[in-house]
Structure formats: C-alpha cells, structure tokens
Amino acid sequence: MENSIKPPIEFSGDAQLLLYTRYGDPRDIGWDHKWINEWHVQQLFPWFPESHIRIHKHFAPLLEKAFKELEEANLHTEIKKLDSAYEIRLMKGSEAVLSVHSWGAAIDLNAHENPYGSAGNWSEAFIEIMSKASVFCGQQWPVRKDPMHFSMVNG
C-alpha cells in the first residue's frame, strides 16, 4: 500500500523535510530560542567579514571545523562577504517551500561573485574542505546550482 501521507508543501523538499522532522517548524513561537545561536565568529576567525552570525546551533560546529581547515590551507581568503544566514523565507524560485535558511541551517557567501544559477567560482580545494566538514555547497548540485549557498544539509 502506498503511503498517502504527504508533508505540507513548506517542507516538501528533501532538505526541508529532514530539517522539519528533526527540528520542527521554524515559524513556531519560541522555535528560534531553542535552536538558533548568535555565533561570534570573529572571536575565533578575525578574518571573517562579519562579527557574528545567527545560525542553527548544530551548524556552528560544522562551520567552525571548516573555517579552521580553510585557514590552515590559506583558503579562507576566498570568503569576502556574508550575504545571508538565519532568515524565515521561501526558497529561491518557490512560492511555497521554505528555504533551508529558515532553520538557520544555511549561509550565503560571496553572492555577487556566485549568483544563483551560475557555475560559481569557489576553488575545488575550498569546496572539498567544506564538504569534508559536512558543509555542502550549491555549486556542486547537478541542477538548480546555487554556489553562494552553504548548508548543513545537502540539496
């Protein structure tokens, strides 16, 4: 028998359904107090373009690991600008599906140099270090490329 239960449209993407299943609806009252942290990035990484990021508390340790390795490989200089982090909004190109940013599970970096739909300009070594730390980049997606996008969930 086929499962006839369908998730609400807001959570219909694979990444959205995973985040919703694990963490709930980011639009719920008090959700952000439970899951979103103010990460003071420049305390560890003075080179980062912003002093802090509001992101999911499970995403910060992944980024910290990636940033340490990027710094050791002298690839951190590829990061020039933080364009977006935690923000309740719809996914680009959708009129109903919530963006992974709604869970604080994604950041956008260097959007001007890596626009949505482009091939992106991150180096292979940069992407490899991020991936190794379980930070996934939309530059690697086979369709709907979003090279500015880095997330704790892939897709």
Side-chain angles (χ1 to χ4, degrees):
M1 179 174 185
E2 185 178 322
N3 185 354
S4 62
I5 298 172
K6 295 195 185 282
I9 188 75
E10 301 97 301
F11 316 118
S12 62
D14 291 343
Q16 290 81 355
L17 185 58
L18 176 69
L19 291 166
Y20 174 70
T21 302
R22 285 187 182 162
Y23 306 112
D25 189 333
R27 300 168 298 180
D28 287 347
I29 293 171
W31 183 93
D32 58 330
H33 297 296
K34 182 176 182 181
W35 296 110
I36 300 299
N37 281 349
E38 186 95 10
W39 182 34
H40 297 277
V41 188
Q42 288 184 346
Q43 288 179 349
L44 292 171
F45 307 105
W47 49 263
F48 194 76
E50 297 289 333
S51 63
H52 66 277
I53 309 174
R54 291 191 72 213
I55 57 173
H56 196 283
K57 69 180 189 177
H58 293 164
F59 192 25
L62 303 176
L63 286 174
E64 183 177 331
K65 179 180 180 193
F67 288 0
K68 281 180 184 173
E69 290 189 34
L70 288 170
E71 192 173 56
E72 288 171 9
N74 202 31
L75 294 170
H76 64 286
T77 58
E78 291 190 36
I79 298 174
K80 298 175 184 102
K81 186 171 191 268
L82 172 70
D83 295 286
S84 181
Y86 169 63
E87 175 185 5
I88 304 283
R89 65 178 169 89
L90 296 177
M91 186 173 76
K92 286 181 182 107
S94 173
E95 295 182 16
V97 179
L98 284 177
S99 167
V100 172
H101 289 273
S102 300
W103 283 268
I107 60 172
D108 289 343
L109 299 171
N110 300 1
H112 183 71
E113 297 176 12
N114 296 286
Y116 180 74
S118 74
N121 71 352
W122 300 104
S123 71
E124 191 175 309
F126 184 98
I127 296 292
E128 185 178 315
I129 287 171
M130 294 294 262
S131 295
K132 192 170 131 188
S134 297
V135 177
F136 306 98
C137 181
Q139 180 170 303
Q140 296 180 297
W141 298 343
V143 293
R144 298 193 67 209
K145 289 196 179 289
D146 192 1
M148 72 183 85
H149 183 87
F150 291 88
S151 176
M152 68 184 221
V153 291
N154 199 9

PDB file of all heavy atoms in Angstrom, residues 81-111:
ATOM      1  N   LYS A  81      32.397  38.009   1.770  1.00  0.00           N
ATOM      2  CA  LYS A  81      31.173  38.641   2.259  1.00  0.00           C
ATOM      3  C   LYS A  81      30.162  37.596   2.708  1.00  0.00           C
ATOM      4  O   LYS A  81      29.985  36.575   2.053  1.00  0.00           O
ATOM      5  CB  LYS A  81      30.560  39.498   1.147  1.00  0.00           C
ATOM      6  CG  LYS A  81      29.370  40.316   1.598  1.00  0.00           C
ATOM      7  CD  LYS A  81      28.954  41.305   0.516  1.00  0.00           C
ATOM      8  CE  LYS A  81      27.961  42.292   1.046  1.00  0.00           C
ATOM      9  NZ  LYS A  81      26.592  41.950   0.881  1.00  0.00           N
ATOM     10  N   LEU A  82      29.520  37.866   3.844  1.00  0.00           N
ATOM     11  CA  LEU A  82      28.371  37.086   4.294  1.00  0.00           C
ATOM     12  C   LEU A  82      27.125  37.806   3.785  1.00  0.00           C
ATOM     13  O   LEU A  82      26.938  38.986   4.072  1.00  0.00           O
ATOM     14  CB  LEU A  82      28.327  36.993   5.820  1.00  0.00           C
ATOM     15  CG  LEU A  82      27.061  36.368   6.403  1.00  0.00           C
ATOM     16  CD1 LEU A  82      27.010  34.869   6.110  1.00  0.00           C
ATOM     17  CD2 LEU A  82      26.976  36.627   7.894  1.00  0.00           C
ATOM     18  N   ASP A  83      26.307  37.113   3.024  1.00  0.00           N
ATOM     19  CA  ASP A  83      25.125  37.738   2.449  1.00  0.00           C
ATOM     20  C   ASP A  83      23.827  37.349   3.145  1.00  0.00           C
ATOM     21  O   ASP A  83      22.864  38.109   3.101  1.00  0.00           O
ATOM     22  CB  ASP A  83      25.033  37.401   0.957  1.00  0.00           C
ATOM     23  CG  ASP A  83      26.175  38.008   0.185  1.00  0.00           C
ATOM     24  OD1 ASP A  83      26.153  39.231  -0.029  1.00  0.00           O
ATOM     25  OD2 ASP A  83      27.117  37.273  -0.176  1.00  0.00           O
ATOM     26  N   SER A  84      23.781  36.171   3.731  1.00  0.00           N
ATOM     27  CA  SER A  84      22.544  35.732   4.383  1.00  0.00           C
ATOM     28  C   SER A  84      22.844  34.592   5.334  1.00  0.00           C
ATOM     29  O   SER A  84      23.778  33.829   5.128  1.00  0.00           O
ATOM     30  CB  SER A  84      21.540  35.273   3.311  1.00  0.00           C
ATOM     31  OG  SER A  84      20.324  34.875   3.907  1.00  0.00           O
ATOM     32  N   ALA A  85      22.030  34.500   6.376  1.00  0.00           N
ATOM     33  CA  ALA A  85      22.124  33.379   7.324  1.00  0.00           C
ATOM     34  C   ALA A  85      20.689  33.036   7.734  1.00  0.00           C
ATOM     35  O   ALA A  85      19.836  32.869   6.858  1.00  0.00           O
ATOM     36  CB  ALA A  85      23.003  33.767   8.507  1.00  0.00           C
ATOM     37  N   TYR A  86      20.429  32.963   9.046  1.00  0.00           N
ATOM     38  CA  TYR A  86      19.086  32.632   9.533  1.00  0.00           C
ATOM     39  C   TYR A  86      18.085  33.697   9.113  1.00  0.00           C
ATOM     40  O   TYR A  86      18.255  34.878   9.402  1.00  0.00           O
ATOM     41  CB  TYR A  86      19.114  32.506  11.056  1.00  0.00           C
ATOM     42  CG  TYR A  86      17.753  32.422  11.700  1.00  0.00           C
ATOM     43  CD1 TYR A  86      16.900  31.357  11.438  1.00  0.00           C
ATOM     44  CD2 TYR A  86      17.324  33.409  12.576  1.00  0.00           C
ATOM     45  CE1 TYR A  86      15.655  31.276  12.025  1.00  0.00           C
ATOM     46  CE2 TYR A  86      16.085  33.340  13.182  1.00  0.00           C
ATOM     47  CZ  TYR A  86      15.254  32.270  12.908  1.00  0.00           C
ATOM     48  OH  TYR A  86      14.021  32.204  13.497  1.00  0.00           O
ATOM     49  N   GLU A  87      17.079  33.256   8.396  1.00  0.00           N
ATOM     50  CA  GLU A  87      16.035  34.161   7.924  1.00  0.00           C
ATOM     51  C   GLU A  87      14.841  33.304   7.482  1.00  0.00           C
ATOM     52  O   GLU A  87      14.997  32.436   6.626  1.00  0.00           O
ATOM     53  CB  GLU A  87      16.575  34.979   6.744  1.00  0.00           C
ATOM     54  CG  GLU A  87      15.593  35.857   6.082  1.00  0.00           C
ATOM     55  CD  GLU A  87      16.158  36.546   4.839  1.00  0.00           C
ATOM     56  OE1 GLU A  87      17.311  36.268   4.438  1.00  0.00           O
ATOM     57  OE2 GLU A  87      15.413  37.345   4.256  1.00  0.00           O
ATOM     58  N   ILE A  88      13.685  33.543   8.060  1.00  0.00           N
ATOM     59  CA  ILE A  88      12.481  32.818   7.653  1.00  0.00           C
ATOM     60  C   ILE A  88      12.085  33.379   6.282  1.00  0.00           C
ATOM     61  O   ILE A  88      11.742  34.558   6.158  1.00  0.00           O
ATOM     62  CB  ILE A  88      11.322  33.016   8.654  1.00  0.00           C
ATOM     63  CG1 ILE A  88      11.730  32.613  10.063  1.00  0.00           C
ATOM     64  CG2 ILE A  88      10.076  32.274   8.180  1.00  0.00           C
ATOM     65  CD1 ILE A  88      11.770  31.150  10.351  1.00  0.00           C
ATOM     66  N   ARG A  89      12.194  32.537   5.268  1.00  0.00           N
ATOM     67  CA  ARG A  89      11.839  32.965   3.910  1.00  0.00           C
ATOM     68  C   ARG A  89      11.608  31.758   3.021  1.00  0.00           C
ATOM     69  O   ARG A  89      11.944  30.625   3.392  1.00  0.00           O
ATOM     70  CB  ARG A  89      12.909  33.875   3.324  1.00  0.00           C
ATOM     71  CG  ARG A  89      14.274  33.221   3.105  1.00  0.00           C
ATOM     72  CD  ARG A  89      15.215  34.235   2.466  1.00  0.00           C
ATOM     73  NE  ARG A  89      16.584  33.836   2.433  1.00  0.00           N
ATOM     74  CZ  ARG A  89      17.154  33.127   1.444  1.00  0.00           C
ATOM     75  NH1 ARG A  89      16.447  32.714   0.422  1.00  0.00           N
ATOM     76  NH2 ARG A  89      18.438  32.844   1.492  1.00  0.00           N
ATOM     77  N   LEU A  90      11.079  32.018   1.838  1.00  0.00           N
ATOM     78  CA  LEU A  90      10.860  30.949   0.870  1.00  0.00           C
ATOM     79  C   LEU A  90      12.140  30.650   0.104  1.00  0.00           C
ATOM     80  O   LEU A  90      13.014  31.513  -0.047  1.00  0.00           O
ATOM     81  CB  LEU A  90       9.755  31.337  -0.110  1.00  0.00           C
ATOM     82  CG  LEU A  90       8.366  31.525   0.500  1.00  0.00           C
ATOM     83  CD1 LEU A  90       7.380  31.978  -0.574  1.00  0.00           C
ATOM     84  CD2 LEU A  90       7.868  30.262   1.181  1.00  0.00           C
ATOM     85  N   MET A  91      12.228  29.429  -0.390  1.00  0.00           N
ATOM     86  CA  MET A  91      13.346  29.006  -1.225  1.00  0.00           C
ATOM     87  C   MET A  91      13.311  29.801  -2.534  1.00  0.00           C
ATOM     88  O   MET A  91      12.224  30.084  -3.060  1.00  0.00           O
ATOM     89  CB  MET A  91      13.200  27.500  -1.503  1.00  0.00           C
ATOM     90  CG  MET A  91      14.346  26.885  -2.236  1.00  0.00           C
ATOM     91  SD  MET A  91      14.164  25.073  -2.324  1.00  0.00           S
ATOM     92  CE  MET A  91      12.910  24.927  -3.581  1.00  0.00           C
ATOM     93  N   LYS A  92      14.474  30.161  -3.052  1.00  0.00           N
ATOM     94  CA  LYS A  92      14.541  30.864  -4.336  1.00  0.00           C
ATOM     95  C   LYS A  92      13.797  30.069  -5.397  1.00  0.00           C
ATOM     96  O   LYS A  92      13.988  28.866  -5.524  1.00  0.00           O
ATOM     97  CB  LYS A  92      15.991  31.051  -4.771  1.00  0.00           C
ATOM     98  CG  LYS A  92      16.726  32.100  -4.004  1.00  0.00           C
ATOM     99  CD  LYS A  92      18.148  32.240  -4.518  1.00  0.00           C
ATOM    100  CE  LYS A  92      18.891  33.248  -3.710  1.00  0.00           C
ATOM    101  NZ  LYS A  92      19.878  32.690  -2.822  1.00  0.00           N
ATOM    102  N   GLY A  93      12.955  30.745  -6.143  1.00  0.00           N
ATOM    103  CA  GLY A  93      12.221  30.101  -7.226  1.00  0.00           C
ATOM    104  C   GLY A  93      10.967  29.372  -6.778  1.00  0.00           C
ATOM    105  O   GLY A  93      10.297  28.751  -7.593  1.00  0.00           O
ATOM    106  N   SER A  94      10.623  29.443  -5.488  1.00  0.00           N
ATOM    107  CA  SER A  94       9.431  28.753  -4.982  1.00  0.00           C
ATOM    108  C   SER A  94       8.437  29.768  -4.429  1.00  0.00           C
ATOM    109  O   SER A  94       8.822  30.800  -3.892  1.00  0.00           O
ATOM    110  CB  SER A  94       9.803  27.762  -3.881  1.00  0.00           C
ATOM    111  OG  SER A  94       8.638  27.232  -3.291  1.00  0.00           O
ATOM    112  N   GLU A  95       7.179  29.429  -4.559  1.00  0.00           N
ATOM    113  CA  GLU A  95       6.141  30.270  -3.972  1.00  0.00           C
ATOM    114  C   GLU A  95       5.583  29.643  -2.696  1.00  0.00           C
ATOM    115  O   GLU A  95       4.633  30.173  -2.116  1.00  0.00           O
ATOM    116  CB  GLU A  95       5.029  30.512  -4.993  1.00  0.00           C
ATOM    117  CG  GLU A  95       5.510  31.318  -6.181  1.00  0.00           C
ATOM    118  CD  GLU A  95       4.415  31.602  -7.191  1.00  0.00           C
ATOM    119  OE1 GLU A  95       3.225  31.441  -6.864  1.00  0.00           O
ATOM    120  OE2 GLU A  95       4.768  31.979  -8.319  1.00  0.00           O
ATOM    121  N   ALA A  96       6.135  28.513  -2.253  1.00  0.00           N
ATOM    122  CA  ALA A  96       5.567  27.839  -1.090  1.00  0.00           C
ATOM    123  C   ALA A  96       6.583  27.145  -0.185  1.00  0.00           C
ATOM    124  O   ALA A  96       6.362  27.047   1.013  1.00  0.00           O
ATOM    125  CB  ALA A  96       4.529  26.820  -1.549  1.00  0.00           C
ATOM    126  N   VAL A  97       7.697  26.638  -0.726  1.00  0.00           N
ATOM    127  CA  VAL A  97       8.637  25.828   0.046  1.00  0.00           C
ATOM    128  C   VAL A  97       9.581  26.735   0.845  1.00  0.00           C
ATOM    129  O   VAL A  97      10.190  27.647   0.297  1.00  0.00           O
ATOM    130  CB  VAL A  97       9.454  24.888  -0.871  1.00  0.00           C
ATOM    131  CG1 VAL A  97      10.450  24.074  -0.068  1.00  0.00           C
ATOM    132  CG2 VAL A  97       8.529  23.980  -1.665  1.00  0.00           C
ATOM    133  N   LEU A  98       9.695  26.455   2.148  1.00  0.00           N
ATOM    134  CA  LEU A  98      10.595  27.241   2.989  1.00  0.00           C
ATOM    135  C   LEU A  98      12.049  26.989   2.619  1.00  0.00           C
ATOM    136  O   LEU A  98      12.444  25.864   2.323  1.00  0.00           O
ATOM    137  CB  LEU A  98      10.405  26.872   4.461  1.00  0.00           C
ATOM    138  CG  LEU A  98       9.174  27.412   5.169  1.00  0.00           C
ATOM    139  CD1 LEU A  98       9.106  26.882   6.599  1.00  0.00           C
ATOM    140  CD2 LEU A  98       9.159  28.923   5.177  1.00  0.00           C
ATOM    141  N   SER A  99      12.836  28.047   2.673  1.00  0.00           N
ATOM    142  CA  SER A  99      14.275  27.940   2.458  1.00  0.00           C
ATOM    143  C   SER A  99      14.927  27.265   3.655  1.00  0.00           C
ATOM    144  O   SER A  99      14.457  27.395   4.794  1.00  0.00           O
ATOM    145  CB  SER A  99      14.866  29.339   2.283  1.00  0.00           C
ATOM    146  OG  SER A  99      16.272  29.302   2.367  1.00  0.00           O
ATOM    147  N   VAL A 100      16.030  26.587   3.421  1.00  0.00           N
ATOM    148  CA  VAL A 100      16.827  25.989   4.497  1.00  0.00           C
ATOM    149  C   VAL A 100      17.331  27.081   5.442  1.00  0.00           C
ATOM    150  O   VAL A 100      17.562  26.836   6.629  1.00  0.00           O
ATOM    151  CB  VAL A 100      17.975  25.145   3.887  1.00  0.00           C
ATOM    152  CG1 VAL A 100      18.941  24.668   4.942  1.00  0.00           C
ATOM    153  CG2 VAL A 100      17.394  23.968   3.112  1.00  0.00           C
ATOM    154  N   HIS A 101      17.449  28.309   4.958  1.00  0.00           N
ATOM    155  CA  HIS A 101      17.830  29.448   5.802  1.00  0.00           C
ATOM    156  C   HIS A 101      16.826  29.648   6.936  1.00  0.00           C
ATOM    157  O   HIS A 101      17.176  30.174   7.984  1.00  0.00           O
ATOM    158  CB  HIS A 101      17.917  30.735   4.977  1.00  0.00           C
ATOM    159  CG  HIS A 101      19.078  30.787   4.042  1.00  0.00           C
ATOM    160  ND1 HIS A 101      20.317  31.241   4.431  1.00  0.00           N
ATOM    161  CD2 HIS A 101      19.185  30.427   2.740  1.00  0.00           C
ATOM    162  CE1 HIS A 101      21.142  31.174   3.396  1.00  0.00           C
ATOM    163  NE2 HIS A 101      20.487  30.682   2.368  1.00  0.00           N
ATOM    164  N   SER A 102      15.586  29.215   6.732  1.00  0.00           N
ATOM    165  CA  SER A 102      14.545  29.364   7.750  1.00  0.00           C
ATOM    166  C   SER A 102      14.862  28.586   9.023  1.00  0.00           C
ATOM    167  O   SER A 102      14.349  28.907  10.097  1.00  0.00           O
ATOM    168  CB  SER A 102      13.189  28.908   7.201  1.00  0.00           C
ATOM    169  OG  SER A 102      12.821  29.686   6.078  1.00  0.00           O
ATOM    170  N   TRP A 103      15.674  27.566   8.923  1.00  0.00           N
ATOM    171  CA  TRP A 103      16.108  26.784  10.077  1.00  0.00           C
ATOM    172  C   TRP A 103      17.480  27.254  10.581  1.00  0.00           C
ATOM    173  O   TRP A 103      18.030  26.661  11.498  1.00  0.00           O
ATOM    174  CB  TRP A 103      16.189  25.296   9.724  1.00  0.00           C
ATOM    175  CG  TRP A 103      14.864  24.612   9.672  1.00  0.00           C
ATOM    176  CD1 TRP A 103      14.238  23.960  10.700  1.00  0.00           C
ATOM    177  CD2 TRP A 103      14.013  24.480   8.537  1.00  0.00           C
ATOM    178  NE1 TRP A 103      13.038  23.448  10.265  1.00  0.00           N
ATOM    179  CE2 TRP A 103      12.878  23.753   8.935  1.00  0.00           C
ATOM    180  CE3 TRP A 103      14.090  24.914   7.209  1.00  0.00           C
ATOM    181  CZ2 TRP A 103      11.830  23.445   8.073  1.00  0.00           C
ATOM    182  CZ3 TRP A 103      13.052  24.618   6.348  1.00  0.00           C
ATOM    183  CH2 TRP A 103      11.941  23.896   6.781  1.00  0.00           C
ATOM    184  N   GLY A 104      18.056  28.260   9.947  1.00  0.00           N
ATOM    185  CA  GLY A 104      19.406  28.689  10.314  1.00  0.00           C
ATOM    186  C   GLY A 104      20.448  27.677   9.891  1.00  0.00           C
ATOM    187  O   GLY A 104      21.567  27.670  10.388  1.00  0.00           O
ATOM    188  N   ALA A 105      20.078  26.818   8.940  1.00  0.00           N
ATOM    189  CA  ALA A 105      20.926  25.704   8.523  1.00  0.00           C
ATOM    190  C   ALA A 105      21.718  26.022   7.258  1.00  0.00           C
ATOM    191  O   ALA A 105      22.301  25.128   6.659  1.00  0.00           O
ATOM    192  CB  ALA A 105      20.064  24.460   8.301  1.00  0.00           C
ATOM    193  N   ALA A 106      21.751  27.308   6.858  1.00  0.00           N
ATOM    194  CA  ALA A 106      22.479  27.697   5.650  1.00  0.00           C
ATOM    195  C   ALA A 106      22.986  29.128   5.774  1.00  0.00           C
ATOM    196  O   ALA A 106      22.392  29.949   6.481  1.00  0.00           O
ATOM    197  CB  ALA A 106      21.576  27.576   4.423  1.00  0.00           C
ATOM    198  N   ILE A 107      24.080  29.387   5.085  1.00  0.00           N
ATOM    199  CA  ILE A 107      24.592  30.747   4.918  1.00  0.00           C
ATOM    200  C   ILE A 107      24.885  30.954   3.441  1.00  0.00           C
ATOM    201  O   ILE A 107      25.159  30.000   2.713  1.00  0.00           O
ATOM    202  CB  ILE A 107      25.863  31.026   5.764  1.00  0.00           C
ATOM    203  CG1 ILE A 107      27.008  30.072   5.391  1.00  0.00           C
ATOM    204  CG2 ILE A 107      25.541  30.981   7.245  1.00  0.00           C
ATOM    205  CD1 ILE A 107      28.343  30.429   6.061  1.00  0.00           C
ATOM    206  N   ASP A 108      24.798  32.192   3.007  1.00  0.00           N
ATOM    207  CA  ASP A 108      25.191  32.558   1.650  1.00  0.00           C
ATOM    208  C   ASP A 108      26.453  33.400   1.753  1.00  0.00           C
ATOM    209  O   ASP A 108      26.514  34.353   2.537  1.00  0.00           O
ATOM    210  CB  ASP A 108      24.093  33.362   0.955  1.00  0.00           C
ATOM    211  CG  ASP A 108      22.880  32.527   0.591  1.00  0.00           C
ATOM    212  OD1 ASP A 108      22.988  31.288   0.574  1.00  0.00           O
ATOM    213  OD2 ASP A 108      21.823  33.121   0.318  1.00  0.00           O
ATOM    214  N   LEU A 109      27.452  33.041   0.947  1.00  0.00           N
ATOM    215  CA  LEU A 109      28.735  33.739   0.927  1.00  0.00           C
ATOM    216  C   LEU A 109      29.048  34.211  -0.488  1.00  0.00           C
ATOM    217  O   LEU A 109      28.801  33.485  -1.453  1.00  0.00           O
ATOM    218  CB  LEU A 109      29.857  32.804   1.404  1.00  0.00           C
ATOM    219  CG  LEU A 109      29.754  32.252   2.821  1.00  0.00           C
ATOM    220  CD1 LEU A 109      30.818  31.174   3.046  1.00  0.00           C
ATOM    221  CD2 LEU A 109      29.904  33.373   3.838  1.00  0.00           C
ATOM    222  N   ASN A 110      29.602  35.415  -0.582  1.00  0.00           N
ATOM    223  CA  ASN A 110      30.054  35.977  -1.870  1.00  0.00           C
ATOM    224  C   ASN A 110      28.978  35.878  -2.951  1.00  0.00           C
ATOM    225  O   ASN A 110      29.246  35.450  -4.078  1.00  0.00           O
ATOM    226  CB  ASN A 110      31.320  35.270  -2.352  1.00  0.00           C
ATOM    227  CG  ASN A 110      32.482  35.382  -1.407  1.00  0.00           C
ATOM    228  OD1 ASN A 110      32.397  35.975  -0.344  1.00  0.00           O
ATOM    229  ND2 ASN A 110      33.602  34.800  -1.788  1.00  0.00           N
ATOM    230  N   ALA A 111      27.767  36.288  -2.627  1.00  0.00           N
ATOM    231  CA  ALA A 111      26.648  36.172  -3.567  1.00  0.00           C
ATOM    232  C   ALA A 111      26.917  36.899  -4.883  1.00  0.00           C
ATOM    233  O   ALA A 111      26.548  36.405  -5.951  1.00  0.00           O
ATOM    234  CB  ALA A 111      25.366  36.705  -2.933  1.00  0.00           C
TER     235      ALA A 111
END
